[in-house]
Amino acid sequence: MKTPNTAALFPVSLAWIEKLIRFDTTSFQSNLGLIEAVRDYLAEAGIPATLTFEPSGKKANLFATLPAADGGTQGGIVLSGHTDVVPVKGQNWDSPPFEPTIRDGKLYGRGACDMKGFIGVALALLPEMQAARLREPIHFALSCDEELGCIGAPYMLADLKARGITANGCIVGEPTDMRPIVAHKGINAYRCRVHGHAAHSSLTPQGLNAIEYAARLICFIRDQADQFRAQGPFDQDFDVPFTTLQTGTIQGGIALNTVPAQCEFSFEYRNLPGVDNAPILARIQDYAANTLLPRMRAEHPDARIEFDTLALAPTLDASEQAAITQLVRALTEDRATRKVAYGTEAGLFQAMGIPAIVCGPGNIEQAHKANEYVTLEQIAQCEAFMRKLIQSLSVTT
């Protein structure tokens, strides 16, 4: 009979992961309960943490450093994870989403996969990190509002820059089946408001239909998407090998018999590494300003079109020569090239000058769904990876 894998059946980090899942950190709510619990845990271990708050003060990022054996705090490796999760409303769960449940070798709960599994492993292995003679520090970076477009971490990164804190590399523990991800697309999200002029629908020439002009702009955005799909540029290592654009939400008008005075819609585009994101928006704004707006103002002088930025997150394109890439490849024994269409905070670290790579437990296909889970085997693999990382950063005798 085959001996059960005890480490997989009872990973040491299970208690911490379950504790994190029990915090309802849905993005529209505060994450301070979780952040303060981690802060207090680190403080008990003698590690001070710095919190950086987003403007409302209801959410925070956490950054803490476990120094090297010689007391050094510069350089080293950042272990990065986001604490917020997506909503569960409207999803049919077989068990309470914020009460972790184990069934058939899987840990169920919102955030189990995305991405409290990785955070829990890192926190649970802190005693082993402290027991090692580290030649480089290990940093903990926990963020808020990643699920809203990576808008929380920039407050933390700005603070690190202001304090002169550096690192040699960053591992973002998004769910990748513990396989290295070396590139992802950028996220660029915007809201557009089209302002027309209301009138009774029987007197349409006296009004300006905001929905109709918004529709023209939406069709232009689709035309840009079709052009990227047909003409590229392409990167066949991605599951969707070209830059994409799409309109996600739209609302406008108050009644069928009223010419709508306003229409608002949101759109996004996800650019490949190497594709400049700025010209894409510039083309859309130019069409709005120089093609649509003159026609609109010929119908009513008060017409206008406004754009607001909702989220911006840069691409990741990890260098194969970067030390962090080589280290994670060595620890996972995985040399395959993998690139993904979804975004992470790794691009933000890279933009700050900290080389980054994505690698964590769980599968992205389980994220954001009802009955989200991570297998205990994946947690065990992450623990084994983390122990190898600790060893690789330790002084050898």
Side-chain angles (χ1 to χ4, degrees):
M1 178 183 295
K2 184 178 179 181
T3 302
N5 185 340
T6 304
L9 292 175
F10 305 103
V12 299
S13 59
L14 190 58
W16 250 112
I17 300 171
E18 290 177 334
K19 181 176 182 177
L20 296 174
I21 291 172
R22 289 190 177 97
F23 288 101
D24 181 352
T25 52
T26 306
S27 293
F28 58 78
Q29 298 186 163
S30 174
N31 74 333
L32 291 184
L34 184 155
I35 288 293
E36 290 167 355
V38 175
R39 177 200 61 191
D40 295 345
Y41 168 70
L42 295 173
E44 291 175 2
I47 303 172
T50 299
L51 306 190
T52 52
F53 292 81
E54 50 80 59
S56 75
K58 297 179 180 179
K59 305 174 189 176
N61 306 292
L62 178 149
F63 190 87
T65 298
L66 173 61
D70 63 2
T73 58
Q74 297 285 40
I77 303 298
V78 177
L79 303 177
S80 172
H82 65 80
T83 61
D84 61 319
V85 298
V86 298
V88 298
K89 184 178 180 180
Q91 295 184 338
N92 185 21
W93 285 70
D94 294 330
S95 54
F98 296 104
E99 182 54 46
T101 304
I102 296 176
R103 299 192 301 271
D104 302 323
K106 301 172 183 177
L107 174 62
Y108 290 86
R110 174 57 88 223
C113 170
D114 185 17
M115 56 178 295
K116 293 178 177 179
F118 178 82
I119 296 172
V121 169
L123 294 174
L125 294 190
L126 175 61
E128 297 182 33
M129 298 176 189
Q130 290 184 299
R133 294 182 59 210
L134 296 176
R135 69 173 186 276
E136 298 182 49
I138 295 177
H139 310 278
F140 298 86
L142 307 187
S143 66
C144 63
D145 285 347
E146 189 271 351
E147 297 291 5
L148 299 182
C150 300
I151 63 176
Y155 298 106
M156 173 173 58
L157 297 179
D159 177 70
L160 299 184
K161 184 176 181 180
R163 293 192 286 145
I165 296 176
T166 62
N168 297 328
C170 175
I171 301 172
V172 177
E174 292 277 5
T176 69
D177 286 322
M178 292 308 303
R179 300 181 298 182
I181 299 295
V182 296
H184 65 63
K185 294 180 178 180
I187 302 173
N188 311 267
Y190 301 91
R191 178 173 50 236
C192 178
R193 293 187 179 95
V194 179
H195 299 268
H197 186 72
H200 194 281
S201 63
S202 65
L203 303 171
T204 55
Q206 296 181 14
L208 173 59
N209 193 310
I211 290 179
E212 292 175 353
Y213 278 99
R216 294 174 189 268
L217 186 51
I218 290 170
C219 288
F220 180 82
I221 292 170
R222 175 56 191 257
D223 289 342
Q224 300 302 298
D226 291 343
Q227 183 173 330
F228 276 113
R229 182 170 187 166
Q231 301 177 14
F234 301 100
D235 185 336
Q236 298 300 334
D237 288 324
F238 279 89
D239 45 2
V240 180
F242 46 85
T243 294
T244 60
L245 297 87
Q246 70 110 20
T247 300
T249 65
I250 185 170
Q251 55 187 356
I254 60 171
L256 179 61
N257 62 352
T258 303
V259 176
Q262 292 192 23
C263 184
E264 176 181 304
F265 65 93
S266 61
F267 66 97
E268 66 160 19
Y269 52 91
R270 296 181 180 245
N271 55 306
L272 289 173
V275 174
D276 189 355
N277 64 325
I280 299 174
L281 178 63
R283 286 194 294 271
I284 296 170
Q285 291 178 319
D286 178 75
Y287 179 77
N290 297 313
T291 300
L292 294 184
L293 203 53
R295 294 181 59 181
M296 293 171 65
R297 287 181 173 164
E299 296 182 37
H300 197 280
D302 293 335
R304 65 189 191 276
I305 301 175
E306 301 169 339
F307 292 87
D308 296 318
T309 302
L310 299 178
L312 292 174
T315 64
L316 171 70
D317 193 9
S319 168
E320 285 295 339
Q321 286 68 49
I324 190 65
T325 306
Q326 291 301 309
L327 175 60
V328 172
R329 287 204 181 284
L331 298 181
T332 59
E333 300 180 358
D334 191 322
R335 296 285 171 180
T337 299
R338 296 185 183 86
K339 303 178 181 182
V340 294
Y342 60 82
T344 79
E345 293 169 337
L348 293 170
F349 283 93
Q350 180 178 260
M352 185 184 171
I354 300 176
I357 193 166
V358 185
C359 185
N363 189 300
I364 195 65
E365 292 184 2
Q366 305 307 323
H368 298 196
K369 295 180 178 180
N371 298 320
E372 176 183 347
Y373 71 83
V374 61
T375 66
L376 301 185
E377 179 64 36
Q378 278 284 299
I379 296 172
Q381 287 184 31
C382 186
E383 289 181 0
F385 169 85
M386 200 71 70
R387 290 189 172 102
K388 290 180 183 178
L389 176 66
I390 296 168
Q391 183 178 16
S392 73
L393 299 176
S394 300
V395 177
T396 57
T397 56

